[in-house]
Amino acid sequence: MKNFKTLQWIGDADGFLELTDQRKLPAEFTTMKCTTVEQLFDAIETLAVRGAPAIGVAAGFGICLAAQETDKLKISDALKHIEKRADFLAKSRPTAVNLFWALEKMKESARDFAEKNPNASLDAFKNHLLACAQEIYAHDVEMCAQIGINGEKFIPDNGGILTHCNAGALATAGNGTALSPIFEAQKKGKKFKVYADETRPLLQGARLTAWELQQAGIDVTLLCDNMAGALMKAGKVNAVIVGADRIAANGDAANKIGTYSLSVLAKAHGIPFYIAAPSSTFDLNIKTGAEIPIEHRHADEVACFAGLITAPKGIKVFNPAFDVTDAQNITAIITERGVIQPPNEQNIRKTICR
Amino acid sequence: MKNFKTLQWIGDADGFLELTDQRKLPAEFTTMKCTTVEQLFDAIETLAVRGAPAIGVAAGFGICLAAQETDKLKISDALKHIEKRADFLAKSRPTAVNLFWALEKMKESARDFAEKNPNASLDAFKNHLLACAQEIYAHDVEMCAQIGINGEKFIPDNGGILTHCNAGALATAGNGTALSPIFEAQKKGKKFKVYADETRPLLQGARLTAWELQQAGIDVTLLCDNMAGALMKAGKVNAVIVGADRIAANGDAANKIGTYSLSVLAKAHGIPFYIAAPSSTFDLNIKTGAEIPIEHRHADEVACFAGLITAPKGIKVFNPAFDVTDAQNITAIITERGVIQPPNEQNIRKTICR
């Protein structure tokens, strides 16, 4: 089980946010304090905290830090200040949908409080906002736990499970999405091996997933992404489980680049392929994965490593951050609201819109 | 076309071997002199020269360097010295079959000369050995050229070609194996794009293939290995072409790790998958790929990068250097003796044993 906190609020409404500094993993496990909104902005932007759910939770606490700047203001002015700071924090990462969702939720709650309690003390206002941020935190933990419970049955006892990127505890306030069923299976006493793709170019699998599984005492083996096929052929993989960044109404799922290849390989080897993601990942306004915009990132992520040149100068690079796995390659989608199997529009709406 | 020499002998029998120092690519293009057998041993061991054919050719010239150490010896003693030095050079890399083949060929030729000309001058002996090493060199260049001619028709005009690792000019004395048809297609005026997998963990694709294609003025794009599936799905790949390290009698082919995954992905997308390799790569004593021993390499190749830790300390690593692609996933095998299509035992014997 997770034996560290991805992030936590320390103290009362005048406290601060403590983060596991993911930039330093796996060489060093350290926590960092965010006592100002600027520090949190920097932490999100530079990936000290990452993973869509974790970013959302952190942003919630960011509003508590903003509230500490409102001393001697009237509630209505404090609200205006908070809204301004929320807009600032929203610029820390452009694509993480949970960031905007959490900030919106905090602003709404602040507006609601200010409307109903125009003469309340600032302390009461700050306490209210902290309670709201803690609720987002608790909801995230609960979402992870429920995905774990719903997905545990897919973790084969005495089997091998392959995962890609980091959809683990480090990406959430709780036990993660894709890794949560694995932690749950461990709790139930199942024995299994986890194989973690290193996940080029940014090595989230090597740096983060391998680290957190090792920390949790789970038998984990690291491999390069191009070794997954050979591992499957050798009969070592009984299930693949990964997260998702956005899922279309028909079940097509965008996730970290390399996920699509894994799904094709799993299918060719008759291995079940699972996606674990909260219901908030579904975008039912989008019919198929073809409509999901794919972010293409800077060539240097591939052509350099820690400042070292690994490819010829001026080389063209294909560097999409995500790819789309067709619903037909996905055995089931595990959500906190239930398991969608097989993933199709009808089954998705039945589970997600209930 | 290739505009550099992977290796070349400079001068007469008292000359030296000049190598492109592949350890410094792509950051720096430099050549290095090997004037002693020890220097060449070190160059092979530390991958300044690499690629099975290139290592064999270099070893041939290594015997010419050994012959320079025989001054004032009788021919029979010079022969003994050369045999001893060949045994030393054979220890530079344990698995490259061409290394042993070339050294054996040089020893045989030396023995033959010494037997027939016991009273010849040492100069005549050295000249004979240089001629023999140059013959190995020329044979390699010719083998590459013929693979290029035989494989050129598979390079789609206005298409995209994906390759993996480096089976290029840098791996041979000539234009390479998998890249030779690409250079030949360029000569014929075909327009196409080449996509080069970076090839983790040692990045031969990024460091070497991307470099030599860029040098040759070929439109080349680098990608991480896990992006190949997304690239195929996007319709950018019309053919895959790679080399091989060992091919069984039934056509199963061992090549750089990741090749098998590519073959499965190509099949799923209806993309032809070609292997280009000299006839010397076939091991007809081995019935299927299951009998090919797979070298597993050190964990640090995956868990570290240029001395930097990229994975948690003590992590278990799956790091096979090669995988085996089933004959049924291979559209054709391109050799200097002809194209084997489809690859099966009968077609292989017909082409290779003629």
Side-chain angles (χ1 to χ4, degrees):
Chain A
M1 291 300 302
K2 184 173 184 172
N3 60 359
F4 61 92
K5 296 270 187 192
T6 305
L7 74 176
Q8 64 179 328
W9 185 263
I10 304 286
D12 60 15
D14 289 318
F16 61 89
L17 180 62
E18 188 180 76
L19 301 172
T20 292
D21 189 346
Q22 299 190 36
R23 296 167 299 191
K24 297 189 176 162
L25 287 172
E28 208 182 315
F29 176 77
T30 48
T31 56
M32 61 178 289
K33 282 184 187 183
C34 291
T35 58
T36 69
V37 174
E38 276 73 16
Q39 283 172 342
L40 176 60
F41 184 99
D42 185 61
I44 295 173
E45 193 179 46
T46 63
L47 311 186
V49 59
R50 47 145 297 280
I55 290 171
V57 174
F61 289 121
I63 297 306
C64 301
L65 295 175
Q68 293 173 1
E69 303 163 338
T70 59
D71 265 6
K72 297 174 191 161
L73 294 182
K74 286 186 298 181
I75 288 287
S76 58
D77 289 334
L79 174 65
K80 276 184 204 153
H81 178 77
I82 276 167
E83 288 178 328
K84 214 176 64 187
R85 298 299 265 167
D87 293 347
F88 169 69
L89 270 177
K91 287 175 189 140
S92 59
R93 285 284 298 270
T95 49
V97 77
N98 306 51
L99 172 65
F100 312 130
W101 172 86
L103 290 170
E104 209 46 60
K105 205 169 158 97
M106 291 298 292
K107 282 196 287 186
E108 269 171 37
S109 181
R111 269 182 229 121
D112 189 56
F113 181 91
E115 214 166 274
K116 288 180 183 153
N117 311 282
N119 301 315
S121 69
L122 274 173
D123 274 349
F125 190 42
K126 289 197 278 184
N127 286 338
H128 171 79
L129 290 172
L130 179 57
C132 184
Q134 292 286 22
E135 198 182 302
I136 292 175
Y137 182 101
H139 178 266
D140 193 61
V141 172
E142 176 56 24
M143 174 276 286
C144 291
Q146 201 58 51
I147 285 179
I149 290 164
N150 293 346
E152 181 273 327
K153 62 174 177 266
F154 298 120
I155 305 302
D157 205 6
N158 298 306
I161 303 111
L162 178 66
T163 189
H164 188 70
C165 197
N166 179 261
L170 284 164
T172 63
N175 275 331
T177 53
L179 297 195
S180 188
I182 289 172
F183 291 124
E184 189 66 21
Q186 180 193 32
K187 244 198 295 189
K188 289 218 167 173
K190 282 187 184 173
K191 300 284 175 228
F192 50 84
K193 285 174 185 293
V194 179
Y195 295 93
D197 274 355
E198 63 174 5
T199 318
R200 283 283 290 155
L202 297 180
L203 300 175
Q204 293 93 336
R207 294 190 300 107
L208 307 177
T209 299
W211 179 83
E212 71 171 71
L213 291 174
Q214 191 190 54
Q215 286 292 311
I218 286 174
D219 183 346
V220 56
T221 299
L222 177 66
L223 63 154
C224 297
D225 303 315
N226 66 20
M227 297 166 185
L231 191 74
M232 290 181 184
K233 196 185 187 190
K236 304 285 189 195
V237 182
N238 303 101
V240 178
I241 187 165
V242 297
D245 289 82
R246 200 156 169 185
I247 304 175
N250 73 338
D252 291 351
N255 189 43
K256 180 59 60 194
I257 186 69
T259 303
Y260 169 66
S261 289
L262 279 188
S263 78
V264 173
L265 288 167
K267 201 173 194 182
H269 291 86
I271 298 166
F273 182 92
Y274 303 107
I275 287 204
S279 53
S280 58
T281 310
F282 288 81
D283 184 348
L284 300 183
N285 297 318
I286 272 182
K287 279 187 190 166
T288 76
E291 292 171 58
I292 302 177
I294 299 296
E295 178 191 0
H296 283 255
R297 295 176 59 89
H298 201 280
D300 282 354
E301 285 187 357
V302 177
C304 299
F305 186 88
L308 265 170
I309 293 167
T310 58
K313 214 176 152 184
I315 191 77
K316 284 197 286 186
V317 171
F318 177 67
N319 185 21
F322 306 99
D323 57 26
V324 175
T325 296
D326 309 75
Q328 63 190 33
N329 286 4
I330 303 167
T331 308
I333 302 175
I334 304 156
T335 79
E336 81 282 17
R337 296 189 184 172
V339 173
I340 303 162
Q341 183 174 20
N344 59 40
E345 180 145 11
Q346 198 189 356
N347 288 343
I348 287 169
R349 289 198 184 270
K350 212 164 61 189
T351 303
I352 299 306
C353 307
R354 71 186 167 95
Chain B
M1 291 300 302
K2 185 173 182 172
N3 60 359
F4 62 91
K5 296 270 187 190
T6 305
L7 74 176
Q8 63 179 329
W9 184 262
I10 304 286
D12 60 15
D14 289 317
F16 60 88
L17 180 63
E18 190 180 74
L19 302 172
T20 293
D21 189 347
Q22 299 190 38
R23 296 168 300 192
K24 298 191 176 159
L25 288 172
E28 206 182 314
F29 176 77
T30 49
T31 55
M32 61 180 287
K33 283 184 187 182
C34 291
T35 59
T36 68
V37 174
E38 278 72 17
Q39 283 173 342
L40 177 59
F41 184 99
D42 185 62
I44 295 173
E45 192 179 47
T46 62
L47 311 186
V49 58
R50 50 147 292 283
I55 290 170
V57 174
F61 289 120
I63 297 305
C64 301
L65 295 174
Q68 293 173 1
E69 302 163 338
T70 61
D71 265 6
K72 295 175 192 160
L73 294 182
K74 284 186 297 181
I75 289 286
S76 60
D77 289 335
L79 175 64
K80 276 183 204 155
H81 178 78
I82 276 168
E83 289 178 327
K84 214 177 64 188
R85 298 299 265 167
D87 293 348
F88 169 71
L89 271 177
K91 289 176 188 140
S92 59
R93 285 283 299 271
T95 48
V97 77
N98 306 50
L99 173 65
F100 312 131
W101 172 84
L103 290 170
E104 209 47 59
K105 206 170 157 94
M106 291 299 290
K107 281 196 288 186
E108 268 170 37
S109 181
R111 268 182 229 122
D112 190 53
F113 181 90
E115 214 166 275
K116 288 181 184 156
N117 312 284
N119 301 313
S121 69
L122 274 174
D123 274 352
F125 190 43
K126 289 196 279 185
N127 285 339
H128 171 79
L129 291 172
L130 180 57
C132 184
Q134 292 286 23
E135 198 181 303
I136 293 175
Y137 182 102
H139 178 265
D140 194 61
V141 172
E142 176 55 26
M143 174 273 289
C144 292
Q146 201 58 52
I147 285 178
I149 291 165
N150 293 345
E152 180 274 329
K153 62 175 175 266
F154 299 119
I155 305 302
D157 205 8
N158 297 306
I161 303 112
L162 178 66
T163 189
H164 189 69
C165 196
N166 178 261
L170 285 164
T172 63
N175 274 333
T177 53
L179 297 195
S180 187
I182 289 171
F183 290 124
E184 189 65 21
Q186 180 193 31
K187 245 198 294 189
K188 289 218 169 175
K190 283 187 184 174
K191 300 281 174 228
F192 51 84
K193 286 175 184 291
V194 179
Y195 295 94
D197 274 356
E198 64 173 6
T199 318
R200 282 282 291 156
L202 297 181
L203 301 175
Q204 293 92 335
R207 295 189 300 107
L208 307 177
T209 300
W211 179 82
E212 69 172 75
L213 291 175
Q214 192 191 54
Q215 285 292 313
I218 287 174
D219 183 345
V220 55
T221 299
L222 178 66
L223 64 153
C224 297
D225 303 316
N226 67 20
M227 296 164 184
L231 190 74
M232 290 181 186
K233 196 185 187 190
K236 303 285 189 195
V237 182
N238 303 100
V240 178
I241 186 163
V242 298
D245 289 80
R246 201 156 169 185
I247 304 176
N250 73 337
D252 290 353
N255 189 44
K256 180 60 57 195
I257 187 70
T259 303
Y260 169 67
S261 289
L262 280 188
S263 77
V264 172
L265 289 166
K267 201 173 191 179
H269 292 85
I271 297 166
F273 182 91
Y274 302 107
I275 286 204
S279 53
S280 59
T281 309
F282 287 82
D283 183 349
L284 300 182
N285 297 317
I286 272 182
K287 279 187 191 164
T288 77
E291 293 171 57
I292 302 177
I294 298 295
E295 177 191 359
H296 283 256
R297 295 176 60 87
H298 200 280
D300 282 353
E301 284 187 358
V302 177
C304 299
F305 187 89
L308 265 171
I309 292 167
T310 57
K313 215 178 149 181
I315 191 77
K316 282 197 287 187
V317 171
F318 177 66
N319 185 20
F322 306 99
D323 57 25
V324 174
T325 297
D326 308 74
Q328 64 190 35
N329 286 6
I330 303 167
T331 308
I333 302 176
I334 304 157
T335 79
E336 82 281 18
R337 297 190 184 171
V339 173
I340 302 163
Q341 184 174 21
N344 57 42
E345 182 148 5
Q346 198 188 355
N347 287 344
I348 286 169
R349 289 196 186 270
K350 212 164 60 188
T351 303
I352 298 306
C353 305
R354 71 187 166 97

